[in-house]
Amino acid sequence: MASQTNSDVTIIGLGLMGRALAGALLTAGHRVTVWNRTTAKAEELLARGALPADSATSAVNASPVTISCVSDYQSLQQAFAPVADELDGRLLVNLTSGDSAQARDMARWTERRGAHYLDGAVMAVPPTIGTAEAVILLSGSKTAFDSQRPVLDALGTATYVGADHGLSALYDVAGLSMMWGVLNSWLQGVALLATADIDASTYTPFAVRMAQGTVGWLAGYADQVDSGTYPPDDATLATHAGGMAHLVAESERLGVNAELPRLFRSLVDRAITAGQAEKSYPALLEQFGQESRTS
Ligand SMILES: NC(=O)c1ccc[n+]([C@@H]2O[C@H](COP(=O)([O-])OP(=O)(O)OC[C@H]3O[C@@H](n4cnc5c(N)ncnc54)[C@H](OP(=O)(O)O)[C@@H]3O)[C@@H](O)[C@H]2O)c1
């Protein structure tokens, strides 16, 4: 790590998230240097004891570890282009949202400059930063992660997901897919029950029970996926297909949007055509490994 630093950590990017990150580090008692393209956004943090930097370069030079949190990777490249020669021996923790390829490219870029790199995904909104509720996924060098635990733990629940720098971004989108899957399925049910004048609050306790029951199957289904065997211990894909046909028909008859039920059914139909009818639900995974179809 580089020497002659005067703070523990530098934050580059003081938007909504960057200010929350810097604020949490100050609350935890760290010496924090901050830099933002628009300098006015640093004022509140400076009043709380953060140290100012007059450029991204001097900000990076102030600490052994820099946390970046700007809009996107294009912004990140613009912010770090002048800093490239200063990174040698330092650690960059990048919490800017992006995809796995961007994370791996950034890792190569920093490593070519002799720096260590952790890529992160913030699974939280700014007001929760600094609390256990704020999950921060990090991937890259485990040694770098372990060396910065006091800093990373001050931001929330710092969770190491693996050495491949693309993993944080992949966990990020996988988690979002889980979230939207649950939300859209809940809304489908709300719309169906509304046709019988059942309001969302009346329906929702049942929806929660169904969702929790389903989540309880996942660990066993994961074992099936990992072993590549799909014994139909509970229900076959053919049985699921029958239930989905009811969901599609009921939605269409009641004038409720049937796109989501039709998607469910088309995936299962394809699996059945591929000879999977007597297997358990996760055999459908094969359909997720294929290029998406437009028809
Ligand atoms: N807010 C959330 O709830 C949330 C949750 C999870 C993840 N994130 C991620 O966190 C990152 C930041 O989000 P945010 O909510 O803080 O966004 P924001 O409030 O819009 O802030 C964007 C930041 O990026 C800086 N920036 C943009 N272009 C730049 C450039 N070319 N050079 C230097 N700095 C540049 C901005 O500087 P200026 O002030 O000069 O414009 C500002 O500091 C994003 O990747 C976002 O996806 C946010």
Side-chain angles (χ1 to χ4, degrees):
M1 293 284 164
S3 56
Q4 297 190 335
T5 57
N6 61 11
S7 60
D8 302 323
V9 53
T10 286
I11 304 283
I12 299 252
L14 301 175
L16 287 168
M17 186 56 79
R19 292 202 299 278
L21 297 169
L25 290 164
L26 288 170
T27 300
H30 292 286
R31 289 174 304 155
V32 183
T33 295
V34 294
W35 179 82
N36 193 57
R37 181 180 60 176
T38 306
T39 52
K41 289 185 188 169
E43 281 170 11
E44 191 189 325
L45 292 162
L46 299 182
R48 289 184 57 193
L51 303 169
D54 58 9
S55 66
T57 302
S58 54
V60 165
N61 273 322
S63 308
V65 54
T66 291
I67 296 175
S68 54
C69 189
V70 294
S71 306
D72 51 31
Y73 272 77
Q74 193 182 358
S75 311
L76 187 71
Q77 284 158 5
Q78 286 169 3
F80 274 79
V83 180
D85 293 338
E86 312 301 324
L87 288 170
D88 188 18
R90 300 181 195 278
L91 170 65
L92 174 61
V93 181
N94 177 37
L95 300 183
T96 302
S97 299
D99 64 33
S100 56
Q102 290 172 315
R104 291 175 185 136
D105 283 349
M106 192 68 193
R108 282 189 285 271
W109 186 86
T110 51
E111 283 164 3
R112 278 200 300 274
R113 281 149 186 89
H116 308 276
Y117 182 70
L118 286 171
D119 196 84
V122 181
M123 309 301 291
V125 290
T128 64
I129 296 298
T131 73
E133 193 185 329
V135 172
I136 317 249
L137 303 174
L138 291 145
S139 51
S141 159
K142 180 74 160 59
T143 306
F145 175 81
D146 289 338
S147 74
Q148 290 302 325
R149 285 307 292 263
V151 165
L152 300 172
D153 287 344
L155 305 177
T157 302
T159 306
Y160 180 75
V161 291
D164 174 352
H165 291 96
L167 282 175
S168 299
L170 287 175
Y171 271 91
D172 184 0
V173 286
L176 293 172
S177 174
M178 191 78 194
M179 180 185 79
W180 288 318
V182 172
L183 290 176
N184 285 329
S185 294
W186 173 70
L187 289 171
Q188 185 78 32
V190 169
L192 283 166
L193 269 296
T195 67
D197 292 329
I198 301 297
D199 63 19
S201 299
T202 304
Y203 160 63
T204 294
F206 170 75
V208 168
R209 173 180 277 201
M210 286 298 292
Q212 286 173 335
T214 307
V215 165
W217 304 339
L218 295 185
Y221 280 174
D223 288 342
Q224 290 192 7
V225 168
D226 290 342
S227 67
T229 55
Y230 302 100
D233 299 330
D234 43 16
T236 63
L237 276 174
T239 302
H240 281 282
M244 287 174 184
H246 293 310
L247 172 61
V248 171
E250 186 81 293
S251 299
E252 287 174 344
R253 192 175 60 79
L254 294 172
V256 169
N257 188 326
E259 288 171 272
L260 190 63
R262 280 193 214 111
L263 172 63
F264 294 165
R265 195 182 60 181
S266 75
L267 289 168
V268 170
D269 284 351
R270 270 188 252 150
I272 289 173
T273 302
Q276 314 269 44
E278 298 307 314
K279 294 186 177 174
S280 70
Y281 201 85
L284 205 57
L285 179 65
E286 198 173 290
Q287 304 305 314
F288 288 82
Q290 297 176 352
E291 293 291 319
S292 59
R293 300 182 183 193
T294 49
S295 57

